Amino acid sequence: MDAGLKERDVIILLLAVGALIFAVANRPRLRLLPAWRVLWAAFCCALAGWTLSVLQMLFLRNQMMFLEDLSYAASSVLTAAWCWIVFATRREESKNVGRDG
Amino acid sequence: MWAGTVDLAGLLASAAALVFLVGGRRRPLRQDARVLLIAVVLASIFQSTVNALSHLGIYSALDPAEDYVAILSPMLWGFFLYSFVQDVIHRELRESEERNRILLASLPQRVFFKNSDSVFVSVNEPFARDLSLQPGQLVGKTDWDFHPPDLAAKYRADDQRVMATGRPETLVERNVVGRVERTVEVVKAPVVNDDGNVVGLFGIFSDITERKRAEEELRERERFLTSIFASIQDGLSILDADLRIVRVNPTMESWYAYNMPLAGRKCYEAYQGRAEPCEVCPSRKTLETGQGAFAAVPKRGAGGEIAGWLDLYTFPLIDTVTGQLKGVIEYVRDITAHKQAEDALRYRFELERLITTISSSFINLAHDEIDDGINRALRTVGEFAGVDRAYLFQFSEDGRTADNTHEWCAEGVEPQIANLKGIVLDEQLPWVSARLRNNQVIHVPRAAALPPDAQLEKGYFEKRGIRSLFAVPVLSGGKVVGFVGFDSVRAEKSWDDNIVVLLRIMGVVFSHALERKRAEEARRASEERYRLVFENARDMISLLSLDGLSYLYVNPATLATLGYSPDELIGKNALQFVHPDDADAVAAKFRETMSQGEGGAEFRYKRKNGSYLWLEATGRVTRDGEAQAVVLVISRDITERMQRQEELRALSWEDPLTRINNRRGFSHLAEQQLKVANRTGSTMLLFFADVDQMKWINDNLGHKTGDLALIETANVLKEAFRESDIVGRVGGDEFAVLAIQARSNEADEILARLQRRLDARNAQGDRRYSLSLSVGIACYDPRNPLPLDELMARSDALMYERKRNKRSPESLKA
């Protein structure tokens, strides 16, 4: 199994695809999130990492692993950027959707 | 190495994200979503840490947990996204509810929702206000909580019926809010869920009390207008924009009862029986222009014939809301009776105009134009009456025969005038003759139906194709002198009383015209006779204008006697040729003639060669032709007679005016006395007297007065001197007296006696002049005899001296 597919990675990918389907299905509502494109990019990078973790078992292991790490890092950076935009800046969003209260 | 660096970068980024999430001042997400996102970041930090250590070859106690965290990571992402979506859904729901609440609160209508058991679920503010409650107080209640049981039961039954049928219903009900009764319109509709099941009832009702009242008023107004529409005695017809009849009133229905129903048909079909719109269509004009229009149109009967006439007024039918032209209102008035009266009036007017025109046309016609005038008049009346032939017959002097003298024939009708001469009326047309002579009108609408006693006429008319005939006698001085009439040869025809009047008047006009013609011809013949007399008379005959006494006409005898040409006399004043000595007297005579109508005078008149001849003239004011007053002067040359008279006067010793000696007589007697004085040696006085102011008397008081003054002077002299003295008129206003056996010292006494006589005369009343004499006196002494002429010359000179200085009586003596 070490040389082939890991069950864990497949399960993660399936869960991620499920999340992707949900996100696409509710895309109109998710678009109401502030700086939605940044968050969506972060999710897509994470999804790419999860996909690469499966692909690295099939071919180009080292390259895929590097790209996987790079995807996770990009996802983290984008997530940080989104959090900075949404939580740390004073910029008023026209759409104050999701705010507490 | 690179992998470890990347992981480390991811770790730092995740840490930063965590810092922002936890430490950020803003809270744009719900708390649960934020927590889930923190979990995502923590999972990321965990994985980055594990991966970094792994790449650095450092085993960590965290590795076993990495699998679980890795699986948890996408799940956390999914939960985070789900949480946010739920948040949005809940927010949308709240907003939707808020909008519904606002909508319900904003609606003026009363709105309610009930569940399937007719329990109020939601109501709006106006609904609750009607029940004096707040909207929340109605939720969970039923109609039984607010309304009487029977009304609540009805409401429930309505609710259940709507929910059972699944179809909305509109109900109009009356209810009472407070003490106010009102009318409401309720719309109840079933509420159906996504599965198609009826889960409740939606109701909305409006207070339509005002609307109902307005509708009732509208209906009442409609009834009122309908009653007006039906009561109008004139026709009313409403058309749409396609000229289609929308509505008519009963009057229109009665007029076109044969063509019912009218509504829905085109107006030109229903009213005029036409397939196409009329050429003159006021309705179409109104539709085109939006303006009212008018036309008189025929009223058709069932067979399409013209049964009368209508005045058609059209008005635009405009939608008061949109301002759009919707159709036409036709207001129709039956003017048949009016038009008939108008036609009769117009016919009468035309008739009278015709009569006036013809009558007046004859006034100025010359006698030689009268025949043409009659022919023209026959043509005019013939065309007016629509006959084929119009004619005038004139009876002969004895009334026995008749001649067709004038005729007019319509085009295509053969003239008969040439054949109708010398008709012996009593023999050829006895029936007609008898009636005409009794001044009766002959009206034969059907020649074929003449009575048996008119069989001659019947044959006569048939022979000439006359089918109808109308004749009126022409009278002159109460006597029938002919007749004027009409023939109809192409159709049988009858004539009304107007034609009788027309022909009667034509008869009078023709009669007068013909009489005038005859009189004019007689006058011209008479004139010709007089002209011959005038031209051939040996006396001088002339016509002078009354105002300027200028020559208007002179006869040849005048021209021959005076030697002038006509141009040298016509227009010249007749007095300018009178001798200056006679001019004043002649002018006075003319004035007398003009005032008294006639007069006469003898005077000298200048001929062209400059010589004068004596004329004896009589003048008479008369009329020249029609109206001009002129003086007719008839003169005769009396030169020879006057010359003989002058010769006789020259042989006479007596002055014809004063009846005393004239110069010849005075000289003859004075010469004899001179001889006697020479024999007896007695002295004599010769008085030479001249009448003072004689010229003034003649000029201002006239020659007649002048003559009177001379006669008076003679009388005074005869009274002042002895009978044996010789008194004579020796000049115009000069007198001479030879006082026999008178001495020079008696001269003053004689002069004083003469003056007393003059004073006595002048003392008489009503005198227009004062008689005065200038006297010169010469004494005849036989011892120094002088011839008479010398004696008279001396006394004459003394008289003039006396005249110059009448205050010096001494100077009179010589």
Side-chain angles (χ1 to χ4, degrees):
Chain A
M1 192 65 195
D2 286 340
L5 292 173
K6 281 186 179 177
E7 288 181 357
R8 188 202 71 164
D9 293 333
V10 173
I11 291 169
I12 288 171
L13 182 59
L14 290 175
L15 289 172
V17 168
L20 176 67
I21 292 169
F22 176 79
V24 169
N26 290 279
R27 187 181 170 87
R29 289 191 176 93
L30 291 172
R31 287 172 69 91
L32 297 175
L33 276 165
W36 143 256
R37 291 178 190 281
V38 178
L39 187 65
W40 179 246
F43 176 73
C44 288
C45 287
L47 183 62
W50 292 324
T51 305
L52 290 167
S53 67
V54 174
L55 294 177
Q56 68 183 308
M57 301 303 170
L58 303 177
F59 52 87
L60 301 174
R61 177 179 173 81
N62 290 330
Q63 290 85 347
M64 293 296 176
M65 282 182 64
F66 179 73
L67 287 175
E68 180 194 359
D69 291 340
L70 204 61
S71 298
Y72 288 141
S75 176
S76 297
V77 169
L78 288 168
T79 303
W82 187 82
C83 289
W84 182 76
I85 291 168
V86 171
F87 293 96
T89 65
R90 290 181 178 276
R91 184 168 67 93
E92 286 293 327
E93 291 292 335
S94 60
K95 300 171 185 172
N96 292 325
V97 181
R99 203 182 322 182
D100 286 346
Chain B
M1 180 65 188
W2 281 108
T5 305
V6 169
D7 290 337
L8 194 57
L11 176 61
L12 291 172
S14 296
L18 185 61
V19 169
F20 296 143
L21 267 172
V22 176
R25 289 188 299 273
R26 301 177 61 211
R27 293 291 185 270
L29 295 180
R30 253 173 33 166
Q31 188 63 24
D32 52 351
R34 185 161 161 263
V35 169
L36 284 169
L37 192 55
I38 290 171
V40 168
V41 172
L42 286 174
S44 177
I45 290 171
F46 180 80
Q47 281 187 293
S48 300
T49 305
V50 171
N51 287 339
L53 291 173
S54 175
H55 288 127
L56 292 172
I58 300 172
Y59 178 74
S60 155
L62 299 176
D63 282 349
E66 196 268 340
D67 287 342
Y68 301 106
V69 173
I71 292 173
L72 200 60
S73 186
M75 293 175 64
L76 289 171
W77 269 105
F79 286 141
F80 165 69
L81 295 176
Y82 175 77
S83 169
F84 182 78
V85 167
Q86 284 300 310
D87 183 30
V88 170
I89 289 171
H90 287 145
R91 185 172 291 276
E92 285 176 349
L93 196 59
R94 281 199 304 276
E95 288 178 350
S96 174
E97 286 176 348
E98 183 64 13
R99 280 195 297 271
N100 287 339
R101 190 187 64 76
I102 292 170
L103 179 66
L104 285 177
S106 304
L107 280 174
Q109 288 86 358
R110 285 71 173 166
V111 181
F112 62 84
F113 291 98
K114 290 178 179 175
N115 66 13
S116 56
D117 292 328
S118 295
V119 175
F120 286 106
V121 176
S122 174
V123 300
N124 71 346
E125 180 73 25
F127 186 89
R129 199 185 309 126
D130 285 348
L131 299 170
S132 302
L133 295 170
Q134 292 297 318
Q137 292 176 290
L138 274 85
V139 176
K141 303 286 177 56
T142 65
D143 289 315
W144 268 273
D145 296 320
F146 314 110
H147 301 299
D150 54 343
L151 192 58
K154 177 190 177 302
Y155 288 161
R156 180 177 170 77
D158 292 339
D159 295 347
Q160 293 304 314
R161 185 176 65 253
V162 169
M163 286 189 283
T165 60
R167 287 195 300 271
E169 283 188 20
T170 300
L171 307 165
V172 176
E173 299 166 349
R174 300 187 72 81
N175 68 11
V176 178
V177 175
R179 291 181 179 178
V180 179
E181 185 176 345
R182 63 184 186 174
T183 304
V184 295
E185 182 185 75
V186 185
V187 178
K188 289 185 175 179
V191 177
V192 181
N193 65 9
D194 294 340
D195 299 331
N197 298 318
V198 176
V199 295
L201 182 85
F202 166 80
I204 177 168
F205 72 85
S206 310
D207 185 349
I208 58 167
T209 309
E210 287 301 320
R211 198 181 87 194
K212 277 285 175 189
R213 188 178 296 125
E215 284 176 356
E216 187 59 35
E217 286 177 3
L218 202 61
R219 273 194 292 277
E220 181 60 33
R221 195 173 299 165
E222 173 70 14
R223 279 195 294 274
F224 178 66
L225 290 175
T226 302
S227 65
I228 291 175
F229 198 72
S231 304
I232 290 175
Q233 296 303 304
D234 293 323
L236 276 176
S237 174
I238 312 296
L239 310 181
D240 65 12
D242 294 328
L243 298 176
R244 197 175 294 283
I245 300 168
V246 177
R247 188 173 174 182
V248 296
N249 73 339
T251 304
M252 289 294 279
E253 289 177 346
S254 68
W255 288 348
Y256 296 97
Y258 62 86
N259 218 4
M260 293 294 286
L262 297 171
R265 302 175 63 187
K266 297 278 191 177
C267 63
Y268 47 83
E269 291 174 0
Y271 299 145
Q272 298 295 331
R274 297 169 63 104
E276 296 294 327
C278 308
E279 289 79 12
V280 178
C281 177
S283 299
R284 203 169 46 177
K285 189 175 176 185
T286 295
L287 284 173
E288 288 168 0
T289 63
Q291 304 290 320
F294 164 77
V297 297
K299 180 182 173 186
R300 301 283 174 184
E305 78 284 1
I306 295 178
W309 285 89
L310 304 169
D311 267 352
L312 173 58
Y313 301 88
T314 58
F315 306 97
L317 180 61
I318 295 172
D319 189 321
T320 54
V321 178
T322 63
Q324 206 172 9
L325 185 62
K326 304 283 285 184
V328 180
I329 302 169
E330 290 186 335
Y331 178 79
V332 191
R333 177 171 290 172
D334 189 345
I335 57 162
T336 306
H338 176 74
K339 192 165 181 60
Q340 284 169 348
E342 198 176 74
D343 287 345
L345 200 64
R346 188 180 295 114
Y347 177 77
R348 187 77 190 175
F349 174 76
E350 285 296 321
L351 182 72
E352 289 174 1
R353 191 180 63 80
L354 185 69
I355 291 169
T356 306
T357 304
I358 292 173
S359 302
S360 56
S361 72
F362 274 87
I363 292 172
N364 296 320
L365 277 184
H367 79 285
D368 54 349
E369 297 171 338
I370 285 175
D371 287 330
D372 287 341
I374 291 174
N375 285 330
R376 280 198 301 274
L378 287 173
R379 177 194 185 91
T380 305
V381 296
E383 287 176 344
F384 176 79
V387 299
D388 296 325
R389 190 182 294 132
Y391 46 78
L392 172 68
F393 277 76
Q394 292 184 68
F395 292 171
S396 58
E397 285 294 322
D398 58 5
R400 199 170 151 270
T401 61
D403 289 332
N404 187 185
T405 55
H406 301 80
E407 183 189 47
W408 166 82
C409 295
E411 198 173 333
V413 176
E414 188 181 354
Q416 294 291 329
I417 188 167
N419 307 325
L420 300 173
K421 304 288 185 190
I423 299 169
V424 183
L425 288 170
D426 291 337
E427 294 176 7
Q428 293 178 267
L429 301 169
W431 183 81
V432 168
S433 175
R435 276 153 186 76
L436 288 174
R437 292 185 196 287
N438 287 328
N439 195 17
Q440 291 179 349
V441 172
I442 296 175
H443 186 188
V444 182
R446 286 193 68 213
L450 277 167
D453 57 339
Q455 288 309 302
L456 277 175
E457 279 81 359
K458 187 176 176 183
Y460 193 88
F461 296 153
E462 284 176 352
K463 185 179 174 186
R464 287 163 178 77
I466 298 169
R467 302 174 69 175
S468 301
L469 172 137
F470 188 81
V472 173
V474 175
L475 300 174
S476 176
K479 182 183 166 192
V480 179
V481 296
F483 61 92
V484 59
F486 292 149
D487 285 349
S488 180
V489 298
R490 290 185 282 214
E492 289 179 348
K493 189 173 177 65
S494 63
W495 291 272
D496 59 18
D497 290 344
N498 288 317
I499 298 299
V500 178
V501 173
L502 174 65
L503 282 190
R504 284 272 189 200
I505 293 172
M506 286 303 101
V508 172
V509 171
F510 292 167
S511 166
H512 287 174
L514 291 170
E515 275 181 25
R516 187 155 64 86
K517 182 186 173 191
R518 281 193 285 271
E520 180 67 19
E521 286 171 352
R523 187 181 69 81
R524 285 181 177 249
S526 172
E527 262 188 12
E528 182 60 20
R529 285 195 296 274
Y530 280 113
R531 194 186 63 76
L532 288 171
V533 171
F534 214 60
E535 299 285 329
N536 296 293
R538 299 189 64 179
D539 285 342
M540 299 161 63
I541 303 173
S542 57
L543 291 177
L544 306 181
S545 67
L546 197 61
D547 49 355
L549 292 178
S550 55
Y551 280 108
L552 300 173
Y553 174 79
V554 291
N555 72 339
T558 305
L559 299 174
T561 305
L562 296 176
Y564 296 106
S565 66
D567 292 342
E568 290 167 323
L569 287 180
I570 301 300
K572 302 282 173 48
N573 190 319
L575 294 179
Q576 76 182 67
F577 301 99
V578 177
H579 192 281
D581 292 345
D582 301 336
D584 293 340
V586 173
K589 281 290 180 187
F590 264 116
R591 285 195 293 273
E592 186 181 303
T593 299
M594 285 186 281
S595 64
Q596 296 179 0
E598 59 184 15
E602 294 176 355
F603 51 88
R604 284 162 288 179
Y605 212 69
K606 191 176 186 179
R607 301 177 65 186
K608 187 175 182 182
N609 59 14
S611 64
Y612 285 90
L613 51 76
W614 277 94
L615 296 179
E616 178 188 60
T618 56
R620 179 186 293 272
V621 177
T622 183
R623 297 275 168 186
D624 175 23
E626 295 297 320
Q628 189 182 7
V630 295
V631 183
L632 172 66
V633 180
I634 301 174
S635 310
R636 183 173 296 164
D637 184 357
I638 57 168
T639 306
E640 284 185 21
R641 193 183 82 194
M642 292 304 286
Q643 284 172 346
R644 281 198 299 276
Q645 283 181 355
E646 193 60 33
E647 288 168 5
L648 287 172
R649 192 176 294 117
L651 294 172
S652 171
W653 288 359
E654 186 184 79
D655 177 49
L657 179 66
T658 59
R659 298 295 179 189
I660 59 175
N661 294 310
N662 60 13
R663 191 180 189 96
R664 187 165 176 272
F666 177 81
S667 297
H668 179 76
L669 292 175
E671 288 288 354
Q672 285 184 341
Q673 288 304 318
L674 287 180
K675 290 175 183 172
V676 172
N678 287 337
R679 192 174 62 243
T680 60
S682 58
T683 58
M684 293 186 292
L685 293 175
L686 179 65
F687 293 80
F688 201 97
D690 184 89
V691 182
D692 293 335
Q693 305 294 328
M694 193 62 204
K695 187 172 188 308
W696 181 89
I697 293 171
N698 275 330
D699 291 345
N700 295 283
L701 304 178
H703 287 267
K704 212 172 218 176
T705 307
D707 291 348
L708 199 61
L710 294 174
I711 294 168
E712 208 170 13
T713 302
N715 292 336
V716 167
L717 291 173
K718 282 194 286 186
E719 289 166 7
F721 288 89
R722 294 167 296 183
E723 281 191 23
S724 56
D725 295 339
I726 300 167
V727 180
R729 182 182 170 205
V730 295
D733 56 348
E734 294 171 341
F735 292 85
V737 182
L738 185 65
I740 298 165
Q741 292 180 346
R743 291 183 296 274
S744 58
N745 56 2
E746 295 175 16
D748 289 343
E749 184 186 345
I750 295 170
L751 278 176
R753 193 166 63 236
L754 178 61
Q755 189 59 48
R756 283 197 298 276
R757 293 291 178 186
L758 286 171
D759 292 343
R761 285 275 176 177
N762 289 332
Q764 292 175 355
D766 297 335
R767 292 187 66 83
R768 298 168 67 193
Y769 61 92
S770 178
L771 198 61
S772 170
L773 297 174
S774 295
V775 182
I777 306 168
C779 182
Y780 180 79
D781 188 349
R783 290 170 296 183
N784 297 305
L786 289 172
L788 181 62
D789 292 342
E790 178 64 23
L791 199 63
M792 287 184 71
R794 287 188 181 187
S795 60
D796 187 18
L798 289 170
M799 180 274 292
Y800 278 106
E801 191 179 336
R802 166 69 175 170
K803 212 178 231 329
R804 281 195 298 273
N805 187 12
K806 289 183 77 171
R807 292 182 181 231
S808 177
E810 296 301 322
S811 63
L812 298 179
K813 298 174 187 173

